[in-house]
């Protein structure tokens, strides 16, 4: 484990303190210390399959029961996991900023002084208490009907067979996980909201994102082009590191509380 020196932490703390608006972009790495495997790290494979070969619409059409079996396994991991000190430090940081700005959900996300754009579907940011958030790739506890398009929390019969395909309670068609799969377009408004914040942010904090999925990196780079200080928190170099003003090298569960707590 590497520890950035104190002067670097002090510099980045000052950048955040001086920022009127902050954009935070998180990826699978922030949940690694909660025990949820990243896609490309150890434990990312399932029964020998790469996530790219499972998380795509063609794989679901071909064998929906198999995809549901994989999601039940992942959902179990996510539901058993708990937010780690990184998620919790971000939620406290956000709460202070929202309170200082007098922001409430009625004001809307476009005018929030901070936005958390997460690629994670594990639900750990909402469980940690983050409010001004957008789950760019969906949420593992939500289903979407392949027939009528209805989106609703997944309520599964615990006695259903492991490979069952859940059905829509409105129209009876098969449900799929409400998750953005490889090759699919972002839902309307999601990238627009993130870019709106990127163009206005004074600091952009990127945590645990490898950059293998491009749009989140593009959002971070847009923030930098628009004048934000770009900060990368990751034990390994990522697609963001080179462009970053500062790289805090190490695990986010250790670094974020040191960086963000008063
Ligand atoms: P990835 O495996 O490609 O990248 C993970 C990144 O996290 C790497 O750069 C790694 O160095 C870094 N990392 C590892 N441990 C860390 C730690 N303790 N602290 C900070 N950073 C750490 O994963 P990805 O590119 O984010 O995943 C691809 C897609 O799959 C994403 O869109 C994501 O939504 C999804 N995904 C989500 C979850 C989840 O919800 N938890 C898990 C896996 C994948
Ligand atoms: Zn339906």
């Amino acid at each position: 484990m590497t520890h950035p020196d104190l002067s670097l932490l002090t510099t980045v703390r000052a950048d955040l303190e001086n920022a009127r608006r902050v954009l935070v972009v998180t990826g699978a790495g922030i949940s690694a210390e909660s025990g949820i495997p990243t896609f490309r790290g150890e434990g990312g494979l399932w029964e020998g399959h790469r996530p790219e070969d499972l998380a795509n619409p063609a794989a679901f059409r071909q064998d929906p029961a198999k995809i549901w079996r994989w999601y039940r396994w992942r959902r179990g991991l996510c539901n058993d996991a708990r937010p780690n000190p990184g998620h919790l430090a971000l939620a406290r940081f956000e709460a202070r900023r929202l309170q200082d700005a007098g922001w409430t959900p009625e004001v809307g996300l476009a005018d929030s002084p901070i936005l958390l754009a997460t690629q994670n579907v594990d639900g750990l940011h909402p469980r940690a208490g983050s409010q001004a958030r957008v789950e760019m790739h969906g949420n593992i506890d939500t289903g979407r009907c392949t027939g009528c398009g209805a989106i609703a929390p997944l309520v599964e019969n615990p006695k259903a067979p492991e490979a069952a395909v859940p059905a829509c309670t409105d129209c009876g068609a098969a449900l799929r996980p409400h998750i953005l799969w490889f090759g699919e377009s972002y839902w309307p408004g999601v990238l627009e909201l993130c870019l709106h914040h990127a163009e206005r942010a004074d600091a952009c904090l990127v945590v645990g994102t490898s950059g293998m999925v491009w749009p989140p990196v593009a959002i971070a780079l847009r923030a930098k082009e628009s004048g934000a200080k770009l900060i990368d928190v990751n034990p390994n170099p990522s697609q963001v590191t080179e462009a970053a003003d500062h790289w805090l090298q190490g695990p986010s569960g250790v670094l974020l509380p040191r960086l963000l707590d008063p």
Side-chain angles (χ1 to χ4, degrees):
M1 192 190 302
T2 333
H3 288 289
D5 61 42
L6 206 54
S7 70
L8 178 55
L9 272 173
T10 308
T11 305
V12 179
R13 283 176 72 98
D15 284 343
L16 291 170
E17 258 155 45
N18 294 333
R20 287 188 55 238
R21 292 178 72 132
V22 177
L23 173 62
V24 184
V25 178
T26 66
I30 194 171
S31 296
E33 289 157 86
S34 293
I36 301 177
T38 61
F39 272 179
R40 277 158 267 273
E42 217 176 301
L45 295 183
W46 175 76
E47 298 184 358
H49 298 288
R50 293 185 311 147
E52 291 87 333
D53 299 334
L54 299 166
N56 76 71
F60 184 76
R61 277 195 299 276
Q62 200 182 14
D63 192 348
K66 176 175 162 187
I67 303 308
W68 271 111
R69 211 152 58 75
W70 180 53
Y71 272 104
R72 284 201 183 86
W73 170 75
R74 287 192 61 204
R75 197 172 167 220
L77 286 177
C78 295
N79 291 348
D80 289 346
R82 292 170 51 187
N84 68 52
H87 298 105
L88 296 168
L90 274 175
R92 288 191 293 271
F93 177 70
E94 182 204 87
R96 283 195 304 277
R97 291 198 154 241
L98 295 180
Q99 194 179 18
D100 290 350
W103 185 89
T104 57
E106 297 74 55
V107 174
L109 288 177
D111 294 318
S112 158
I114 179 165
L115 182 76
L116 170 69
T118 186
Q119 299 166 72
N120 296 345
V121 300
D122 54 36
L124 291 178
H125 283 303
R127 280 166 57 198
S130 287
Q131 285 189 69
R133 62 168 196 270
V134 52
E135 291 174 293
M136 304 175 70
H137 296 167
N139 181 296
I140 200 141
D141 291 316
T142 309
R144 184 166 88 239
C145 177
T146 57
C148 69
I151 296 168
L154 276 171
V155 184
E156 290 212 77
N157 177 355
K159 295 200 184 104
E162 198 198 356
V165 176
C168 175
T169 49
D170 291 341
C171 77
L175 292 183
R176 58 165 276 179
H178 182 49
I179 285 183
L180 190 83
W181 283 338
F182 290 97
E184 295 186 317
S185 307
Y186 279 81
W187 299 304
V190 169
L191 285 183
E192 291 79 356
L193 176 68
C194 295
L195 290 171
H196 172 88
H197 275 269
E199 285 159 7
R200 287 161 183 78
D202 304 301
C204 176
L205 184 61
V206 181
V207 185
T209 304
S210 72
M212 302 300 282
V213 178
W214 186 250
V217 179
I219 290 165
L221 296 180
R222 177 73 68 90
K224 161 110 183 166
E225 281 158 26
S226 308
K229 291 276 186 203
L230 184 57
I231 302 136
D232 191 23
V233 180
N234 197 316
N236 305 301
S238 75
Q239 300 277 351
V240 168
T241 312
E242 207 166 298
D245 294 283
H246 304 294
W247 176 23
L248 297 178
Q249 186 181 11
S252 48
V254 175
L255 293 181
L256 289 180
R258 291 175 61 194
L259 179 67
L260 301 176
D261 281 340

